[in-house]
Amino acid sequence: MILPTILDYTKEQLATQIKPAFRAKQIYGWVYHQYAESYDTMQNIPKSLREELRGKYIINPLNTLRKEEATDGTIKYLYELPDGKTIETVLLRMKEEKTDETGKITQEAKYTVCVSTQVGCKVGCSFCLTAKGGFTRDLTAGEIVAQVLEVKKDNDLAAHRRMNIVYMGMGEPLDNLDNLANAIKIIKDEEGLCISGKRQTVSTSGISSKIDKLGKMDLGVHIAISLHAVDDELRTELIPMNKAYNIASIIDAVKRFPIDARKRVMFEYLVIQDKNDDIASAKKLVKLLHGIKAKVNLIYFNPYPGTEYARPTPQDMVKFQEYLITHGLLCTIRDSKGIDISAACGQLKEKTEEER
Ligand code: SAH
Ligand code: SF4
């Protein structure tokens, strides 16, 4: 029998499962701040309770199968879950740390962890490698939380180190909303991984009804919408689910979503050569996002063997970006971090399976 992980539970949930309830807080301290790997080290927990915990929950559900570091500092992990399935997690290091002549840190490196929420994905986008393997299962809350915890441990990052979380790994986060919400709560908890909601971004392919549900949960997280197309015909070709949740329904849901006054909704736009990289599309995009506090992130399509799509030219990317900027939209181009370690989601997993 596979035991659940203790990382599955919010502090409140854990407190209902063990006696006395205040021990939940101590266990949180050991697991999330001291990075304890076994119950034996939890010295302020009575031996009998430690025994009970050992029989009920494992601590770490992840086994590192593979770790690849790109020349730009990006690290990609392939983890094995207790049932033998595998997922990917990526650590992006945005800026190098800078120190002054006395050795004092003047600028911290910015860390972002890209987390998976499912093994496989049901949405079936035509450009996505994760979709090719179909859907296997949802991750539990603890399997989501564990990815952040493992990356912190592996990189010697202190418990309170400031960092960002993006739910942009494998899977559709809103298709696993209950576990996602618990994971967000555990990651937010000051006694958990202490990364505030403001620093967590949920990326979705646009399940409008679930965007509303997430909004109502009021977790204080940001959303990123994988828009990728400005008309429904092309969007349905790229993301079949667009038939049920079309562009208009997504835009409406975004307008209802609670957004921090200083923040913007991110729209991801995957640029594919000769599909959506023309100025006519850029023009429609400006119109579509009119009245929304939006930020557009242009992503180069990252090709893989067997795909029918191609990467756009840098010239077309820049032209597209310039059009948006001159028409009042904030727009960045996502630099292809870690391209030499197959960084598009699903590509490390694929590589390992081929070699097995
Ligand atoms: N399911 C969610 C989150 C995971 S996918 C979503 O779709 O938003 C995370 C991002 O990776 C999405 O924006 C997706 O468009 C992008 N992506 C998928 N395949 C890609 C590829 N081959 N090249 C570049 N980006 C890709
Ligand atoms: Fe799923 Fe996102 Fe890939 Fe689409 S892009 S198949 S929603 S993981």
Side-chain angles (χ1 to χ4, degrees), residues 4-11 13-14 17 28 32 57 141 186:
T5 163
I6 198 153
L7 311 179
D8 275 336
Y9 308 103
T10 64
K11 207 163 56 220
Q13 287 174 329
L14 194 59
Q17 295 187 31
Y28 253 55
Y32 294 111
Y57 321 103
I186 299 164

Side-chain angles (χ1 to χ4, degrees), residues 168-183:
M168 284 186 193
M170 305 170 75
E172 168 49 51
L174 297 189
D175 209 11
N176 185 15
L177 186 54
D178 292 340
N179 293 342
L180 173 79
N182 275 344

